[in-house]
Amino acid sequence: MKKLFSLALAAAMALSMLTGCGGNSNNTNNDTNSADTQGSQTSQTQQLSGVVNTNGSTSMEKVMQVLIEAFKEQQPNVTVNYTGSGSGAGVTSAIDGTADLGLASRALKSEEEEEKGAQANIVALDGVAIVVNPDNAVDDLTVDQIAQIFKGEITNWKDLGGADEEIAVYGREAGSGTRGAFEELVGVEDACKYLNEYSSTGDVIGNVASNPSAIGYASLSAVGDNVKAVKVNGVECSEATVQDGTYEIQRPFVMITKDGTQLSDAAQAFLDFAMSAGAASLIAQAGAVPPAK
């Protein structure tokens, strides 16, 4: 009996040691997996810091606001500044390095790309709406009619089915991306006869809203109930018609970098964020149209 008891005790002790070794092995694996997971999470949530300066198109203001706000939630230690000084200034600031990212609401010119090294990163698309006062009876114009209005060849609304009133032609100042895109797309470069020129999209909208005989142009994202966007060749200016290309007067919203110039980590992260598929809903929220990915 003593011999059997000794053998049973020895077996139990051996089993206990094996179980203990197995338990230690599992604990080691769990610790390793936990460390790997924590390391992965740390990598994914690695925080950046710094300041990113952007400068340019006033038409991109709403898009920039929503992008900056959303990016701040991901990178709270990065400050992104936006200055709206026009697309021309946006291109220049990217080229001369006074801004990390230039902003333009038009395609870049060949000399800006080929001679000065500017590079366009398309963030969104935008329709250039042709706006009139809500009391204006005219609600559809052809591209040719728009061109004739802005060149001063059609000067009275009665010739277009409207009231017997002289047309007041409003537009943006020279160097504006909205003006450059509109004039190029409509074919009226250096030929417009403006009654007044304004330094911001908001000023154009406000003055058209207060003048029953006025006409102007503005970014789709800026159009509210205080003005009316007329159809162009029978097509409304909307996100859908800009996306599918049926609305003719449209342009890109671009963030501009300079060839050969490396962005800071913070600036590169913001650019990548703005151009990601995940930013599409934010761009739409701002009234612009996400480009096809």
Side-chain angles (χ1 to χ4, degrees):
M1 289 292 293
K2 289 183 178 179
K3 184 175 183 180
L4 288 174
F5 177 77
S6 297
L7 289 173
L9 180 60
M13 292 177 64
L15 179 60
S16 176
M17 291 177 65
L18 287 173
T19 303
C21 290
N24 288 341
S25 176
N26 288 337
N27 288 339
T28 300
N29 288 336
N30 288 338
D31 290 344
T32 301
N33 290 337
S34 177
D36 289 344
T37 300
Q38 291 176 358
S40 176
Q41 291 175 344
T42 300
S43 176
Q44 291 175 5
T45 59
Q46 181 179 6
Q47 296 297 297
L48 300 172
S49 62
V51 176
V52 180
N53 290 313
T54 70
N55 178 38
S57 170
T58 61
S59 297
M60 291 178 66
E61 181 176 3
K62 288 185 178 179
V63 170
M64 290 300 295
Q65 285 176 344
V66 297
L67 290 175
I68 290 170
E69 183 177 349
F71 184 71
K72 188 71 173 178
E73 293 179 2
Q74 292 188 8
Q75 296 290 349
N77 297 322
V78 175
T79 298
V80 180
N81 296 319
Y82 163 73
T83 302
S85 57
S87 293
V91 176
T92 300
S93 64
I95 292 171
D96 64 21
T98 55
D100 297 290
L101 297 168
L103 307 172
S105 49
R106 61 168 174 80
L108 294 181
K109 300 173 183 178
S110 57
E111 60 267 25
E112 292 170 341
E113 292 181 309
E114 297 169 8
E115 298 175 15
K116 298 180 180 179
Q119 293 184 320
N121 303 276
I122 299 176
V123 174
L125 302 173
D126 179 54
V128 180
I130 309 304
V131 294
V132 298
N133 188 278
D135 294 333
N136 194 321
V138 176
D139 59 11
D140 195 350
L141 295 169
T142 67
V143 173
D144 285 342
Q145 287 172 331
I146 294 167
Q148 291 177 67
I149 291 170
F150 279 82
K151 289 191 293 183
E153 296 171 357
I154 296 178
T155 60
N156 196 300
W157 284 113
K158 69 179 181 179
D159 297 327
L160 300 164
D164 184 6
E165 294 178 347
E166 186 175 351
I167 301 173
V169 178
Y170 296 158
R172 289 291 306 278
E173 82 289 1
S176 158
T178 309
R179 173 171 170 166
F182 166 79
E183 292 187 356
E184 180 179 354
L185 292 166
V186 177
V188 292
E189 291 177 287
D190 302 320
C192 290
K193 307 295 184 183
Y194 292 111
L195 176 63
N196 287 317
E197 300 178 19
Y198 299 100
S199 61
S200 74
T201 295
D203 285 341
V204 173
I205 292 285
N207 282 281
V208 170
S210 64
N211 187 345
S213 64
I215 187 171
Y217 47 78
S219 168
L220 169 60
S221 61
V223 177
D225 294 337
N226 57 339
V227 293
K228 179 175 70 174
V230 300
K231 296 178 182 178
V232 176
N233 290 341
V235 179
E236 293 183 357
C237 182
S238 69
E239 292 182 24
T241 58
V242 171
Q243 182 107 58
D244 66 21
T246 55
Y247 184 76
E248 295 183 42
I249 308 176
Q250 60 171 279
R251 57 176 174 170
F253 280 171
V254 299
M255 289 187 178
I256 307 160
T257 55
K258 185 178 180 181
D259 186 27
T261 299
Q262 184 174 355
L263 296 175
S264 67
D265 289 344
Q268 185 65 58
F270 181 67
L271 176 60
D272 292 343
F273 172 77
M275 296 188 66
S276 69
S281 61
L282 298 171
I283 290 168
Q285 176 185 328
V289 181
K293 296 295 183 181

